[in-house]
Amino acid sequence: MFCNQCEQTAKGLGCTKIGVCGKTEGVSELQDLLTYVLQGLAIVAVAGRKVDIIDADIDRFTTEALFGCLTNVNFDPARFETWIRKTVQLRDELKTKVVAAGGSVSNEVEALNYTPAANLAGLEAQGAKLNFIPSLDENEDFRSLKQIILYGLRGLAAYTDHAAILGRQDTEVYSYIHQALADLTRKDLDLDELVAATLKCGEVNLRAMELLDTGNTGTYGHPVPTPVPLGAKTGKAILVTGHDLKDFHMLLEQTKDKGINIYTHGEMLPCHAYPELKKYAHFHGHYGTAWQNQQKEMAVFPGAILFTTNCIQKPHDSYKDNVFTTGLVGWPGINHIGDDKDFSPVIERALALPGFTADAPNGEVLTGFARNTVLIFADKIVEAVKTGAIKHFFLVGGCDGAKLGRNYYTNFVEQVPEDCIILTLACGKFRFFDKKLGNIDGIPRLLDIGQCNDAYSAIQIALVLADAFACGVNDLPLSIILSWYEQKAVVILLTLLSLGIKDIRLGPTLPAFVTPNVLNVLVENFDIKPIAENAQEDLKTILA
Ligand code: SF4
Ligand code: SF3
């Protein structure tokens, strides 16, 4: 096994025996094998598009399977076995159709001829034999760029899948995904071409995130500023984590007359701000703080817990029977809700558990400052900048993780001067989301844009502010301080770079898959930099 796709990777180098995330060696080999066979399918899909054969099911399948390899999504060998066998079946069926339509599929790439072993152990052995990551390229800089593209593709697939669930798709995004997967097998691309290919991934991701934004706001309305109670309310309870608004809505519908309070956890916090979600009387509040506390907090939650999409941590045995997964998420031995989205087992479990036996209010936080809301404030914001009431904006966003170095972001937010506004999004904010930072001329100093899935909203805010000030985004009094953990963050970073955004500070550590030479290219072209030793130092430099 070799995996270094996330920030948490062992010793900052790579996980080789078991993932720090809990991924087993077997699952790691299966993920490599799946990626390899998806490349074969992608080559056929590219050939198919040349003869006007576009298979929408294959497009969706490929994005789901790629998303399944994202950090902390699926840990179930059986699921990967199904995906691998299905990929081979789809590849062969499509190949036949493409050839019949006069297309040509070269047989030069091994993945086109791959035959799966008869059982799971055989598949794992095949995965191990691939030595997949090292085999991407002998040249370590080329390999580094190919890894950036591969992880970018997994992030892009995640957003594409989220959007597709809400009925928003663009065939161009799928065409790109197949082409990029196929191109990863090429050995004839030079450094400049590979750098351009990484930016292309970011560019396509902007489209995917736009589709997702349209899906979310088009289905559930534009988020509005909303105070969200923290803590507990007496009664039966279900806690929902992940990112999926549709699952959340379906659960709200299925529980509305059941006497169960619904709580958000983690990236589901922004659900409170969507008009079509917040209208449910039994949608109570938010439970849970930083990502690193997930298992501890879930262990004492007295109700059922639903995991949707990504960034779940392995449930401890003490509470695993209360946990239900749905969609792409899965662990062996954990209850799974199928595609019919019948949440009855979750509801029954919640009713069987004690729930909260007393009210335990714990203050509230404000969310709902997505693009629509912030842009309503735009004139006021511009005015406050002109009068000097607002001196600078900081976008402190991105992932959370368990490492100590992540205190930097809390320290940063605490030390931002009072004449500055902090925009935030994604799950890193749970380290500081309940800080009372006051407001400037009625504009809250801490504005929660939403999930990592709402990065499109953050970009729109920056673009509209740049327009209002008649300058480019790089000339705004705005600094971007990113924290990364997994591959959604990788692709968002690529999107920012593809928009020409410079001077991004990235932490808590730089990706293990970026070589010094590749880092130099990024520094030279985008002035990207690692966060400093401490927040004070960076603030001093930025505000000098
Ligand atoms: Fe290690 Fe991260 Fe890969 Fe998990 S996803 S095996 S923690 S590098
Ligand atoms: Fe958080 Fe990256 Fe995964 Fe959106 S933002 S969840 S870690």
Side-chain angles (χ1 to χ4, degrees):
M1 138 177 209
F2 179 80
C3 182
N4 66 355
Q5 69 169 342
C6 83
E7 199 270 340
Q8 187 170 256
T9 196
K11 300 193 176 96
L13 296 170
C15 297
T16 53
K17 294 201 168 64
I18 184 163
V20 176
C21 60
K23 183 160 86 181
T24 58
E25 182 165 15
V27 167
S28 184
E29 308 301 7
L30 293 169
Q31 289 185 347
D32 283 354
L33 182 60
L34 175 59
T35 311
Y36 171 81
V37 288
L38 284 170
Q39 288 180 320
L41 175 59
I43 290 170
V44 185
V46 169
R49 276 164 152 78
K50 288 187 184 144
V51 287
D52 294 328
I53 295 179
I54 294 180
D55 186 319
D57 292 340
I58 290 178
D59 292 347
R60 285 285 281 119
F61 172 82
T62 298
T63 47
E64 279 194 6
L66 278 172
F67 190 2
C69 297
L70 200 98
T71 298
N72 281 346
V73 174
N74 196 296
F75 302 82
D76 188 357
R79 189 71 171 265
F80 286 99
E81 177 172 8
T82 307
W83 270 324
I84 290 164
R85 296 194 189 286
K86 177 93 183 179
T87 309
V88 173
Q89 182 201 332
L90 291 172
R91 178 199 68 188
D92 292 344
E93 287 168 4
L94 187 62
K95 215 194 274 185
T96 308
K97 279 190 210 157
V98 172
V99 171
S104 89
V105 184
S106 99
N107 269 346
E108 280 165 25
V109 176
E110 278 175 26
L112 284 163
N113 306 311
Y114 159 80
T115 306
N119 56 33
L120 193 59
L123 292 175
E124 289 177 4
Q126 286 181 327
K129 204 166 158 223
L130 287 175
N131 202 18
F132 185 69
I133 293 298
S135 77
L136 282 173
D137 217 295
E138 279 174 15
N139 176 309
E140 62 169 12
D141 296 326
F142 290 10
R143 181 164 70 240
S144 171
L145 287 161
K146 285 184 174 178
Q147 281 188 266
I148 297 175
I149 296 167
L150 173 61
Y151 304 146
L153 280 172
R154 287 179 182 163
L156 166 62
Y159 292 126
T160 304
D161 185 59
H162 284 302
I165 286 170
L166 294 165
R168 310 286 166 148
Q169 303 185 72
D170 179 346
T171 186
E172 292 301 320
V173 173
Y174 294 116
S175 293
Y176 165 76
I177 290 174
H178 292 304
Q179 186 68 57
L181 265 176
D183 285 348
L184 284 177
T185 63
R186 289 174 60 179
K187 303 280 164 133
D188 59 330
L189 299 172
D190 64 24
L191 191 81
D192 288 344
E193 287 169 322
L194 283 169
V195 170
T198 60
L199 296 181
K200 178 75 184 172
C201 186
E203 189 188 312
V204 176
N205 185 55
L206 184 65
R207 173 69 180 138
M209 299 212 78
E210 181 188 14
L211 291 168
L212 175 56
D213 180 283
T214 321
N216 283 336
T217 58
T219 316
Y220 306 109
H222 280 279
V224 293
T226 305
V228 181
L230 302 176
K233 188 176 170 188
T234 308
K236 305 285 182 184
I238 295 176
L239 183 65
V240 188
T241 196
H243 298 71
D244 196 302
L245 269 53
K246 190 168 180 185
D247 280 345
F248 195 77
H249 183 243
M250 286 187 281
L251 180 73
L252 285 170
E253 268 297 309
Q254 292 179 34
T255 49
K256 63 184 174 190
D257 51 359
K258 298 282 193 297
I260 300 171
N261 292 319
I262 307 296
Y263 295 78
T264 53
H265 172 274
E267 287 277 61
M268 297 307 271
L269 169 70
C271 289
H272 291 273
Y274 285 89
E276 289 303 313
L277 300 176
K278 65 186 289 185
K279 67 182 187 188
Y280 291 86
H282 66 303
F283 179 13
H284 175 60
H286 185 81
Y287 174 94
T289 57
W291 189 83
Q292 59 181 343
N293 304 326
Q294 192 182 118
Q295 289 159 320
K296 248 188 334 211
E297 290 170 346
M298 288 187 174
V300 294
F301 189 78
I305 301 168
L306 180 66
F307 283 156
T308 76
T309 69
N310 56 303
C311 283
I312 55 157
Q313 291 175 28
K314 185 180 184 182
H316 285 156
D317 284 349
S318 69
Y319 67 94
K320 79 172 177 40
D321 292 343
N322 301 343
V323 170
F324 297 79
T325 59
T326 187
L328 301 180
V329 187
W331 285 91
I334 303 281
N335 307 302
H336 188 78
I337 301 295
D339 289 342
D340 62 356
K341 302 289 178 183
D342 175 0
F343 292 117
S344 313
V346 187
I347 295 167
E348 279 158 28
R349 187 76 196 151
L351 291 172
L353 286 163
F356 289 104
T357 51
D359 287 354
N362 188 23
E364 61 182 32
V365 292
L366 202 53
T367 188
F369 290 90
R371 62 186 166 95
N372 214 44
T373 305
V374 175
L375 299 181
I376 290 169
F377 274 114
D379 288 346
K380 213 173 167 181
I381 292 174
V382 172
E383 192 51 33
V385 173
K386 286 189 176 151
T387 63
I390 295 178
K391 188 172 171 205
H392 203 87
F393 297 90
F394 292 95
L395 177 68
V396 185
C399 312
D400 199 8
K403 277 194 191 161
L404 281 178
R406 290 185 181 270
N407 292 340
Y408 167 97
Y409 298 94
T410 315
N411 295 338
F412 194 98
V413 166
E414 282 172 348
Q415 293 177 42
V416 164
E418 284 183 4
D419 54 3
C420 301
I421 299 270
I422 298 156
L423 299 151
T424 191
L425 76 165
C427 69
K429 67 169 171 266
F430 291 102
R431 287 173 176 251
F432 52 78
F433 77 133
D434 52 354
K435 298 219 173 291
K436 303 292 171 225
L437 300 184
N439 62 73
I440 301 174
D441 295 348
I443 305 162
R445 285 191 56 231
L446 182 61
L447 299 172
D448 178 18
I449 299 171
Q451 301 179 336
C452 59
N453 288 19
D454 299 310
Y456 178 78
S457 205
I459 290 167
Q460 290 309 305
I461 291 169
L463 293 176
V464 170
L465 286 180
D467 203 40
F469 287 106
C471 68
V473 172
N474 290 320
D475 305 314
L476 282 172
L478 165 72
S479 302
I480 302 179
I481 321 291
L482 285 189
S483 53
W484 84 283
Y485 168 49
E486 31 73 328
Q487 301 79 47
K488 279 179 162 180
V490 171
V491 80
I492 290 171
L493 179 63
L494 295 180
T495 298
L496 295 175
L497 300 183
S498 76
L499 289 165
I501 295 177
K502 296 192 171 174
D503 206 21
I504 295 170
R505 283 176 167 74
L506 180 66
T509 57
L510 296 180
F513 51 83
V514 173
T515 59
N517 286 337
V518 170
L519 182 62
N520 276 345
V521 173
L522 296 178
V523 173
E524 274 167 24
N525 291 303
F526 300 101
D527 208 9
I528 192 167
K529 36 181 81 78
I531 55 170
E533 275 289 300
N534 61 65
Q536 185 74 36
E537 203 179 316
D538 273 338
L539 272 166
K540 216 168 125 194
T541 317
I542 293 167
L543 295 173

